[in-house]
Amino acid sequence: MPAGDLAVLVEIDEEIGPALSQRLRALEALASREIAGITETVPSFRALLVYYDPRLVSYPQLCAAIAERLPRASAAVLPATRLIELPCCYRDPELGFDLDQVAARLGLSVHELIRLQTSVDYLVYFIGFAPGQPYLTGMPERLAIARLETPRTKTPQGSVGIGGTQCCVYSVESPGGFWVLGRTPVKLYDPQASEPVLLRPGDCLRFVEIERREYDRIAAAVAARAYRVRIA
Amino acid sequence: MIEILDAGPQTTVQDLGRCGQLRSGIPPSGAMDRFAFVVANRLAGNGDTAAALECTLLGPRFAVATTCAIAVTGAAMPIAVNGVEAPAWTTLVLHPGDVVKLGSARAGLRAYVAFGGGLDVPLALGSRATYLRGGLGGLHGRSLKKGDRLNIVRCCVPARRRVRRDALPSYPSEVSLRAILGPQHDRFTAAGIAAFCSGAYELLPQSDRMGVRLRGERIEHARGHDIVSDGIALGSVQVPGDGQPIVLMADRQSTGGYTKLATVCSFDIGRLGQLRPGQRVRFSPVSIDEAHRLLRASDEALTRLTLEEIA
């Protein structure tokens, strides 16, 4: 489906989930590597937006070249998944300001809430909405909670929140309807860094609980550009 | 060196934008009116991608410390060099201590000031363009302010040239934009699509480098205005629940969850970037083949554009 004169939206009509996400990223990798004239690509839940230069490849040629690669679009063409550990401070009223209220609403102890939230690896489906902002999937069902009735006008950068069936990390300060459980001192977006965006589509994300003292230590190291995120 | 004496409401350093970062949520940014931007660079003796200033509605006042060449194009802002009127779309040679002032735009919204040699700000992800919301690129990722100083990469003074009068673009108060229907036009009623294709839409003051907000005849959805988020192309016409279109521009978010009825063609984006609040747009649908023919024609027009030497 054309998206203007410089882009085409490739949609795969399958159930949204990790398998489809992997297929889209594999298609993205194949297309970017092999089809001349593609300028950039943006994966999302069910689609891949392919930007191209029509001076280098015609629309029918491009569509045919993409369709031809669909059957080969599997995990085999993707690089190994990165596992990224994100330190997060929960038990601090300044950082995890909704923690107690969420625990009460979900009928969980604070301890159990943090245990559940840190017990799984989240998949970065894609990056969107704001610079470096990941769309994460994989949150335990037990943590599903209606979003805030009145969204906040400002949520601090680094806030780790939950809402609906989703977990999120705010890459920049922005409005939002998520309940904030804690905050990571790591910046998912830092315009001053040589690589401003930490996460990539397809990464796995794991939260690791830290105490306030450790949070402050890491935050200072991040500010001094002396901190390295653990990537496995 | 250039010193900013008054910045104007929104003066930023731009080039032709960064490529390949949308998958990280970072938009291309870059000049909103590429034609005017490229011509300013050519008049200043630069390659098309050199960094230059984009000035919005009201221009800046600045002083230069060295002999250099500049060219002002785009919106019709009165130009004064040391208080003496100077022509737009023309190479101007400045001397140390000269003060240039750009006034309030009489037509169009965005003017460009290119400097012979190009503006020297650090590359951020391969581009010097300012992305305001992300605080990236340009001068410290922000609009210029009084007292800012900018260097020129390799100051050069080219032969003086100007654009022929008959090749100057006009900035009318109503523009017609060519658009390709889709990707989600099947989510709208026939009446909704007809309204979009026939009505005039007024540009609202909340418009910015991210998106142009319009108001006009309501565009009716057939079923729901939300979709699972997908990528947003340059020129995407997003229609939220209120039925009023928003055209996504150079600083757009990379993905979004509203239905997109159509996409404005790349070669018409610059004309939309020159429209002011209260002015109007109409949309005319074209096929993809037609759009690509028009794109080639627009490329050729820029290639053929001859700049006449000034004796």
Side-chain angles (χ1 to χ4, degrees):
Chain A
M1 187 66 74
D5 58 330
L6 303 183
V8 54
L9 188 72
V10 182
E11 222 175 44
I12 301 184
D13 195 15
E14 287 172 17
E15 199 189 335
I16 294 169
L20 176 56
S21 165
Q22 196 173 59
R23 215 156 154 230
L24 284 166
R25 280 182 284 110
L27 182 64
E28 179 186 33
L30 281 176
S32 314
R33 267 204 304 265
E34 298 175 0
I35 307 173
I38 290 182
T39 51
E40 63 180 310
T41 47
V42 184
S44 52
F45 285 113
R46 195 180 273 154
L48 183 67
L49 183 62
V50 177
Y51 289 82
Y52 67 104
D53 184 344
R55 302 160 190 97
L56 302 177
V57 58
S58 76
Y59 179 71
Q61 275 170 350
L62 177 70
C63 292
I66 292 170
E68 199 181 293
R69 278 158 183 84
L70 254 177
R72 272 197 293 140
S74 70
V77 305
L78 286 171
T81 302
R82 305 192 307 169
L83 172 64
I84 293 173
E85 282 188 6
L86 215 52
C88 180
C89 177
Y90 297 89
R91 290 175 224 249
D92 184 290
E94 192 194 333
L95 306 178
F97 39 78
D98 295 327
L99 187 69
D100 293 336
Q101 215 186 328
V102 170
R105 283 209 175 207
L106 293 176
L108 293 166
S109 67
V110 165
H111 176 81
E112 188 63 7
L113 170 58
I114 297 171
R115 194 195 64 76
L116 277 168
Q117 205 271 335
T118 54
S119 66
V120 292
D121 291 344
Y122 297 85
L123 168 69
V124 178
Y125 250 123
F126 62 94
I127 310 281
F129 179 66
Q133 176 86 50
Y135 279 76
L136 299 173
T137 174
M139 189 171 82
E141 277 173 34
R142 183 69 181 83
L143 298 183
I145 185 168
R147 292 197 185 185
L148 293 178
E149 275 162 33
T150 313
R152 272 186 198 94
T153 50
K154 274 184 179 180
T155 312
Q157 181 180 37
S159 291
V160 174
I162 62 173
T165 57
Q166 294 212 299
C167 168
C168 97
V169 188
Y170 285 81
S171 63
V172 291
E173 180 186 276
S174 51
F178 286 80
W179 300 87
V180 174
L181 304 184
R183 198 182 303 174
T184 175
V186 174
K187 288 181 178 173
L188 300 192
Y189 175 67
D190 178 2
Q192 266 89 49
S194 57
E195 282 193 41
V197 171
L198 175 67
L199 300 174
R200 300 176 196 153
D203 283 345
C204 271
L205 197 61
R206 182 181 294 170
F207 295 95
V208 179
E209 187 182 7
I210 54 170
E211 293 187 2
R212 179 63 195 247
R213 230 176 17 194
E214 179 70 354
Y215 175 92
D216 290 335
R217 191 191 66 75
I218 296 175
V222 167
R225 311 215 165 277
Y227 182 78
R228 290 203 147 231
V229 181
R230 277 189 62 178
I231 301 179
Chain B
M1 200 201 54
I2 304 140
E3 182 177 351
I4 303 296
L5 305 174
D6 284 306
Q10 192 182 85
T11 301
T12 55
V13 176
Q14 297 294 344
D15 60 14
L16 289 181
R18 48 183 63 77
C19 185
Q21 299 301 324
L22 277 162
R23 78 191 298 272
S24 300
I26 299 176
S29 303
M32 291 282 275
D33 178 353
R34 293 168 76 95
F35 175 81
F37 180 88
V38 164
V39 174
N41 265 330
R42 291 187 185 175
L43 287 166
N46 297 335
D48 292 353
T49 59
L53 297 181
E54 179 178 274
C55 319
T56 316
L57 200 57
L58 175 66
R61 190 166 66 91
F62 58 91
V64 298
T66 45
T67 300
C68 62
I70 69 163
V72 182
T73 64
M77 294 184 185
I79 307 160
V81 179
N82 303 325
V84 178
E85 196 184 328
W89 301 90
T90 302
T91 314
L92 303 174
V93 179
L94 304 178
H95 302 287
D98 282 355
V99 173
V100 179
K101 183 178 188 307
L102 267 62
S104 189
R106 293 188 190 125
L109 179 64
R110 295 180 167 95
Y112 294 91
V113 188
F115 297 81
L119 291 174
D120 187 15
V121 295
L123 281 171
L125 296 170
S127 159
R128 296 185 168 85
T130 311
Y131 167 37
L132 289 171
R133 271 193 177 71
L136 185 75
L139 187 69
H140 311 309
R142 58 164 171 79
S143 293
L144 298 187
K145 55 188 190 196
K146 190 175 176 165
D148 279 341
R149 283 154 187 241
L150 288 160
N151 285 314
I152 295 170
V153 180
R154 248 188 339 274
C155 212
C156 60
V157 178
R160 290 179 58 217
R161 292 183 297 172
R162 66 181 163 220
V163 177
R164 274 178 30 194
R165 192 170 278 274
D166 60 0
L168 292 178
S170 62
Y171 300 111
S173 60
E174 180 172 314
V175 297
S176 171
L177 305 173
R178 274 72 56 97
I180 297 172
L181 285 180
Q184 282 110 28
H185 60 291
D186 60 337
R187 301 288 296 257
F188 295 85
T189 62
I193 296 176
F196 170 75
C197 297
S198 62
Y201 288 87
E202 183 190 325
L203 192 134
L204 298 178
Q206 300 94 303
S207 303
D208 58 15
R209 289 183 43 86
M210 186 177 183
V212 169
R213 290 175 172 270
L214 300 168
R215 185 175 55 201
E217 199 180 334
R218 187 192 166 98
I219 300 167
E220 186 186 43
H221 291 84
R223 51 192 171 97
H225 46 78
D226 290 346
I227 52 165
V228 295
S229 289
D230 62 13
I232 299 178
L234 174 66
S236 283
V237 182
Q238 186 174 273
V239 186
D242 65 2
Q244 301 298 322
I246 304 169
V247 185
L248 280 310
M249 304 291 277
D251 283 7
R252 67 193 177 277
Q253 65 275 36
S254 58
T255 62
Y258 290 124
T259 40
K260 294 174 285 296
L261 169 57
T263 316
V264 174
C265 292
S266 59
F267 44 84
D268 276 348
I269 289 291
R271 300 198 298 134
L272 182 56
Q274 289 294 6
L275 218 61
R276 306 151 67 124
Q279 298 186 325
R280 304 197 303 173
V281 304
R282 289 176 185 275
F283 296 96
S284 72
V286 291
S287 70
I288 189 147
D289 287 347
E290 178 69 6
H292 284 160
R293 261 199 306 281
L294 291 164
L295 176 66
R296 274 196 301 277
S298 134
D299 282 355
E300 281 160 17
L302 191 57
T303 311
R304 272 202 321 270
L305 182 80
T306 49
L307 304 175
E308 54 184 21
E309 304 275 334
I310 303 171

